[in-house]
């Protein structure tokens, strides 16, 4: 393998029903930085059915080139068909780096493609950098349940591949009207050759709180004592107009569903305000919330590790503090309303 | 009769593991070795499929000799056979080399009894990449189905399986031809306490242990450290977050301080306050 033959940074653009996954836009931002440092092009790869129009968005978020595979066979995501398209694109244009969102689809596709190429794949990356002259990708990730961070290199194989956690990279501000080179590709695959069929796609029926998109999150931990006690968390969240988060122990106790879990094996969140109430602050929880703009911790144990990770800490009993917060906040809001009315 | 193979790994219990603050390395001895929790769900699901449709469940692991204990745990859960590949030549493998070695072992198992279904955990709690399962599927050229949270139907005669695969906001119902490989989510089942007879069986069970020389057509260059494109170049403890401001005063005063802090982020409440 001649490493010199490989050029450019790629981002796999994940799409569902005509919408680009936010993580793909974040990766375009990260990819732009890497590409500029290397002095190479940044490309987006879109695979799907009727996806060509998405190219303009990909350019606006920083790509110089977009490769599109727009064919009916790509209507549903299936590992085998998408993998073939991406392998075809890699063989034709030889990128030096490819980034994927660490989502169900991104991880599935990246693992399959890396095996076939074959090359190295770094999982769940949270930090990315590149050596300017050698082009070596420095991909860092948590491992051992978040107890350590590791920098993973792939020295002798190309492309260098990584899946990257949603919400840890920043998307660029979209530059309206920015365009680039659109490359349309096609591959020949027959439906009979694909061994899986998507029979149905079922959207979660319960109106799922997207805690990864919330501005305010009130998270509760085992310290709330019971499912009943945990209701206080729901009430505070409701008062503040925020979403409910939870530690893993709460999810395992069955007080709330898994999609509320914040952390290493849950969701990574970046709200403007994060409340951690009755949560000890285990490393696996911290990795999921440490990028919140303001972290407020309430815990009755002054030694709890969460206090090392917060901006404001209150040592005290949740059962005493939450009702006070709810009451005072409602009052404060009412006052504001009166003021607003007064101004008119 | 179905033959289901679950791939399992012995891991340090990362909940208990201690870090050496001087060297920033893990004190592996501090953590007990356990069966990777996600793999317990894979084995349990394999046993449930066996109980529903008939068949045999085998488990396969690559690891150092003490990993025999993880196999015994699987026998307790209800697996029938255990295979282990163990050899210094496997050491230092990343996911590409791990999936290669496991595939060579699976090819040997196939020769003993053809395999219809392979189950893996969603990920391990030490490497936590989730990449080994799809890697094995590609190498065997069978469909990989990741993030599986329910097995709806296995139809050996028609040669297909129907599963539910978790996606970001719901799930997909997927039909795949057999054989195929599933990586399963934790929510697929609950692993109950093992029945007593299984525990006795497990205590007496001796797994089949193979070295590299017992496998066929192995390309040594693809094994272990040599066969691994990725290298762990540096390991460090995640930076300790900076301690924040501890509030003081009576509970009421502290609540007041928090209120003014959050109300400063006025834009968050404008929609609410103004309506
Ligand atoms: C591989 C792996 C992955 C993991 N992934 C995650 C993850 O994604 N997310 C996650 O959260 N965890 C995760 N964990 C678990 C993590 O290690 C901790 O076990 C968990 O976060 C602890 O939850 P907790 O803080 O709610 O409970 P505890 O650790 O039991 O803490 C409860 C806290 O509540 C306080 N408290 C008690 N009563 C009161 C009261 N009346 N008022 C105020 N405070 C009170 C206590 O002082 C204590 O600090 C993972 C673990 C492993 C091994
Ligand atoms: C700090 C650190 C970071 C790492 N980061 C990466 C990385 O980014 N990319 C990379 O390629 N490698 C990485 N590795 C190497 C990786 O952990 C090993 O390759 C490991 O042997 C397999 O990967 P995993 O534990 O992540 O398994 P996963 O892919 O998470 O495991 C998924 C499933 O595969 C099966 N399985 C996995 N291992 C075995 C086994 N030995 N025997 C039987 N079944 C098994 C189980 O069913 C398991 O549930 C890293 C290692 C360390 C120490």
């Amino acid at each position: 393998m001649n490493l010199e033959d490989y050029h450019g940074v790629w981002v796999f653009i994940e799409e569902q029903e005509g919408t680009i996954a936010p993580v793909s836009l974040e990766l375009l931002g990260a990819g732009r930085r890497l590409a500029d440092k290397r002095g190479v092009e940044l490309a987006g790869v879109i695979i799907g059915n009727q996806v060509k129009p998405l190219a303009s968005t990909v350019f606006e978020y920083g790509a110089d080139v977009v490769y599109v595979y727009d064919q009916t066979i790509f209507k549903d995501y299936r590992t085998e068909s998408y993998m073939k398209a991406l392998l075809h694109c890699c063989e034709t244009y030889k990128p030096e780096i490819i980034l994927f969102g660490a989502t169900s689809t991104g991880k599935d596709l990246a693992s399959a493609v890396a095996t076939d190429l074959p090359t190295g794949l770094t999982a769940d990356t949270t930090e990315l950098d590149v050596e300017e002259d050698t082009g070596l990708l420095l991909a860092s990730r948590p491992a051992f349940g978040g107890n350590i961070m590791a920098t993973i290199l792939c020295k002798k194989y190309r492309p260098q591949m990584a899946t990257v956690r949603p919400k840890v990279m920043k998307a660029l501000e979209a530059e309206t009207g920015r365009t680039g080179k659109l490359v349309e590709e096609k591959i020949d695959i027959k439906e009979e050759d694909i061994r899986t069929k998507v029979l149905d796609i079922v959207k979660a029926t319960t109106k799922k709180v997207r805690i990864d998109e919330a501005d305010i999150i009130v998270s509760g931990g085992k310290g709330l004592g019971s499912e009943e006690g945990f209701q206080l968390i729901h009430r505070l969240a409701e008062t503040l107009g925020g979403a409910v988060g939870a530690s893993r122990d709460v999810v395992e106790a069955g007080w709330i569903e898994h999609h509320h879990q914040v952390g290493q094996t849950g969701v990574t969140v970046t709200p403007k305000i994060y409340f951690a109430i009755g949560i000890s602050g285990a490393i696996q929880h911290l990795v999921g919330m440490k990028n919140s703009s303001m972290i407020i911790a309430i815990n009755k144990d002054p030694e709890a590790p969460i206090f090392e990770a917060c901006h404001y800490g209150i040592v005290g009993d949740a059962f005493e503090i939450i009702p006070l917060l709810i009451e005072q906040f409602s009052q404060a809001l009412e006052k504001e309303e009166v003021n607003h009315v007064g101004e008119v | 009769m179905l033959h289901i193979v679950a791939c399992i790994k012995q891991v340090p219990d990362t909940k208990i593991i201690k870090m050496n603050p001087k060297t920033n390395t893990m004190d592996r001895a501090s953590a007990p070795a356990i069966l990777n929790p996600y793999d317990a769900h894979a084995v349990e699901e394999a046993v449930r499929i066996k109980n529903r449709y008939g068949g045999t469940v085998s488990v396969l692991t690559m690891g150092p000799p003490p990993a025999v204990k993880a196999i015994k745990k699987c026998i307790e859960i209800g697996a029938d056979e255990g295979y282990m590949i163990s050899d210094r030549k496997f050491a230092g493998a990343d996911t590409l080399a791990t999936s290669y070695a496991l595939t060579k072992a699976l090819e040997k198992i196939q020769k003993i009894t053809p395999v219809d279904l392979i189950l893996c955990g969603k990920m391990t709690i030490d490497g936590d990449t989730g990449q080994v399962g799809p890697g094995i599927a590609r190498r065997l050229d069978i469909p990989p189905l990741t993030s599986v949270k329910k097995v709806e139907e296995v139809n050996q005669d028609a040669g297909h399986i129907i599963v539910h695969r978790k996606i970001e906001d719901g799930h997909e119902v997927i039909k795949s031809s057999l054989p195929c490989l599933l990586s399963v989510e934790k929510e697929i089942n609950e692993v109950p306490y093992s029945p007593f007879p299984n525990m006795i069986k497990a205590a007496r069970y001796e797994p089949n242990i193979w070295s590299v020389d017992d496998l066929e057509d192995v390309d040594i260059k693809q094994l272990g450290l040599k066969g691994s494109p990725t290298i762990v170049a540096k390991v460090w403890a995640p930076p300790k977050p900076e301690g924040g401001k501890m509030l003081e005063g009576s509970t009421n005063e502290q609540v007041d301080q928090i209120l003014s802090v959050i109300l400063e982020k006025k834009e968050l409440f404008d929609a609410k306050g103004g309506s």
Side-chain angles (χ1 to χ4, degrees):
Chain A
M1 167 171 293
N2 192 352
L3 304 190
E4 304 289 306
D5 295 345
Y6 292 76
H7 287 284
V9 177
W10 287 11
V11 173
F12 168 68
I13 305 294
E14 190 175 329
E15 164 272 344
Q16 218 189 358
E17 292 172 5
T19 309
I20 296 175
V23 65
S24 302
L25 302 178
E26 293 157 21
L27 291 189
L28 285 169
R32 185 70 263 168
R33 225 174 9 90
L34 302 178
D36 288 346
K37 204 162 168 188
R38 285 283 294 145
V40 296
E41 285 181 330
L42 173 68
V45 184
I46 314 178
I47 304 168
N49 182 33
Q50 299 182 342
V51 287
K52 201 173 128 190
L54 297 177
S56 58
T57 311
V58 179
F59 290 129
E60 288 179 354
Y61 279 88
D64 306 307
V65 184
V66 171
Y67 300 103
V68 184
Y69 291 78
D70 194 341
Q71 298 174 236
T72 45
I73 193 132
F74 299 128
K75 185 174 154 293
D76 295 313
Y77 170 75
R78 287 174 296 174
T79 320
E80 290 182 288
S81 53
Y82 274 58
M83 177 195 85
K84 283 189 176 136
L86 196 55
L87 286 171
H88 174 262
C89 206
C90 287
E91 274 152 26
T92 319
Y93 299 103
K94 299 197 176 4
E96 58 190 269
I97 292 171
I98 318 180
L99 307 177
F100 300 75
T103 57
S104 339
T105 299
K107 292 193 75 153
D108 184 275
L109 180 61
S111 308
V113 169
T115 311
D116 273 58
L117 277 170
T119 190
L121 172 60
T122 304
D124 289 298
T125 309
T126 54
E127 288 171 33
L128 282 172
D129 201 357
V130 68
E131 281 183 11
E132 217 169 297
D133 42 347
T134 60
L136 196 61
L137 183 69
L138 314 171
S140 304
R141 59 172 305 235
F144 292 93
N147 288 295
I148 61 165
M149 287 288 295
T151 304
I152 312 285
L153 309 178
C154 172
K155 287 190 171 158
K156 298 193 185 128
Y157 293 70
R158 291 293 179 273
Q160 307 169 82
M161 293 182 37
T163 61
V164 182
R165 277 226 155 185
K167 287 277 182 173
V168 291
M169 307 285 159
K170 273 219 163 59
L172 298 171
E173 195 87 27
E175 194 181 312
T176 340
R178 188 179 183 282
T179 64
K181 188 168 89 181
L182 183 69
V183 183
E184 291 182 62
E185 289 284 347
K186 264 202 161 30
I187 52 163
D188 187 24
I189 335 178
K190 291 184 194 62
E191 186 55 46
E192 312 84 84
D193 296 337
I194 301 177
R195 293 168 290 184
T196 54
K197 308 268 171 281
V198 176
L199 303 180
D200 198 3
I201 296 179
V202 184
K203 289 276 161 70
T205 44
T206 46
K207 207 177 111 238
K208 185 177 140 187
V209 259
R210 296 293 305 251
I211 56 169
D212 55 342
E213 287 165 10
D215 278 333
I216 302 176
I217 297 175
V218 182
S219 272
K222 244 352 220 322
L224 276 305
S226 65
E227 194 170 351
E228 290 70 46
F230 197 78
Q231 294 307 314
L232 269 181
I233 298 291
H234 287 279
R235 280 180 44 211
L236 179 59
E238 205 173 295
T239 317
L240 296 175
V244 174
S247 70
R248 184 168 94 170
D249 288 20
V250 163
V251 172
E252 287 194 341
W255 302 350
I256 197 165
E257 284 173 70
H258 178 258
H259 62 253
H260 293 271
Q261 182 183 318
V262 172
Q264 168 87 9
T265 45
V267 183
T268 304
V269 297
T270 50
K272 302 216 166 87
I273 304 179
Y274 187 85
F275 279 92
I277 306 180
I279 292 179
S280 58
I283 183 80
Q284 296 89 355
H285 189 82
L286 298 184
V287 294
M289 46 65 93
K290 63 168 197 245
N291 290 330
S292 308
S293 325
M294 186 199 291
I295 298 166
I296 301 170
I298 303 173
N299 196 304
K300 70 176 185 192
D301 172 12
E303 303 292 319
I306 191 74
F307 288 129
E308 309 266 312
C310 69
H311 300 96
Y312 296 97
I314 302 184
V315 178
D317 187 342
F319 295 100
E320 193 183 330
I321 294 168
I322 300 179
L324 272 175
L325 265 174
I326 293 175
E327 190 191 311
Q328 308 247 21
F329 182 78
S330 311
Q331 278 177 13
L333 271 194
E334 266 167 38
K335 254 192 233 152
E336 290 242 319
E337 231 166 295
V338 173
N339 284 343
H340 274 287
V341 176
E343 276 164 26
V344 177
Chain B
M1 287 260 281
L2 285 165
H3 183 204
I4 310 164
V5 180
C7 296
I8 60 129
K9 184 181 176 186
Q10 190 182 52
V11 295
D13 190 342
T14 49
K15 222 168 169 163
I16 297 171
I17 206 159
K18 287 202 185 70
M19 297 295 293
N20 179 331
K22 288 212 185 89
T23 57
N24 277 341
T25 52
M26 286 172 326
D27 178 9
R28 273 178 185 265
S30 71
I34 55 169
L35 170 64
N36 178 38
Y38 291 94
D39 298 351
H41 293 278
V43 177
E44 171 68 19
E45 195 59 24
V47 170
R48 288 184 187 207
I49 295 171
K50 171 182 90 169
N51 291 344
R52 228 158 108 194
Y53 300 100
T56 327
V57 173
S58 304
V59 296
L60 166 65
T61 193
M62 173 175 90
V68 165
K69 266 176 77 182
I71 293 186
K72 287 187 181 252
K73 179 75 204 163
C74 298
I75 303 285
E76 283 183 17
I77 298 174
D80 304 292
E81 283 299 337
Y83 298 89
M84 169 153 117
I85 53 171
S86 194
D87 200 306
R88 295 203 87 105
K89 295 195 180 82
F90 296 129
D94 73 354
T95 58
L96 196 72
T98 300
S99 69
Y100 179 73
L102 290 173
T103 299
K104 287 293 151 193
L106 282 160
E107 282 168 0
K108 178 157 174 150
I109 294 173
Q110 298 255 35
K111 284 201 177 150
I112 304 168
T113 319
V115 176
D116 304 286
L117 196 56
I118 299 172
L119 268 69
C120 285
K122 172 203 176 83
M123 60 178 194
T124 62
I125 61 166
D126 59 345
D128 23 84
T129 64
Q131 293 171 184
V132 171
I136 294 172
R138 282 308 309 146
R139 291 181 181 283
L140 289 171
D141 192 21
I142 59 174
L145 299 164
T146 52
S147 310
V148 171
K149 58 169 212 168
K150 185 177 171 187
V151 175
E152 192 168 295
E153 182 192 325
V154 184
N155 190 329
Q156 199 182 10
D157 296 334
H160 73 237
I161 182 168
I162 297 176
V163 301
H164 293 195
R165 171 172 188 263
K166 200 161 139 180
I167 51 175
E168 262 56 39
D169 57 352
H171 69 265
E172 301 173 330
V173 183
I174 301 192
K175 181 173 172 178
S176 168
S177 64
L178 289 173
C180 65
L181 178 141
L182 319 181
S183 332
V184 305
E185 298 279 332
K186 241 178 155 167
E187 64 203 74
I188 195 163
N189 57 40
E190 292 208 2
V191 183
Y193 286 105
S194 305
F196 193 61
N198 288 12
M199 292 170 81
I200 296 175
K201 185 176 165 203
R204 294 188 185 139
Y205 186 76
E206 299 282 347
N208 309 279
I209 302 175
W210 296 329
S211 69
V212 170
D213 296 335
D214 294 317
L215 304 176
E216 282 170 33
D217 300 326
V218 177
D219 174 8
I220 300 288
K221 289 196 297 298
Q222 294 191 52
L223 291 178
L225 209 52
K226 247 193 258 161
S228 297
T230 67
I231 32 175
V232 180
K234 193 173 98 176
V235 170
W236 76 93
K240 276 245 161 127
E242 277 178 33
K245 187 175 164 198
M246 297 305 288
L247 300 181
E248 285 170 10
S250 70
T251 307
N252 266 314
E253 284 162 6
Q254 295 195 31
V255 167
D256 278 348
Q257 292 173 56
I258 283 299
L259 264 183
S260 54
V261 166
I262 61 177
L263 286 169
E264 261 169 37
K265 302 229 163 194
K266 205 169 152 293
E267 79 282 0
L268 294 180
F269 308 107
D270 272 357
K272 221 177 141 67
S275 64

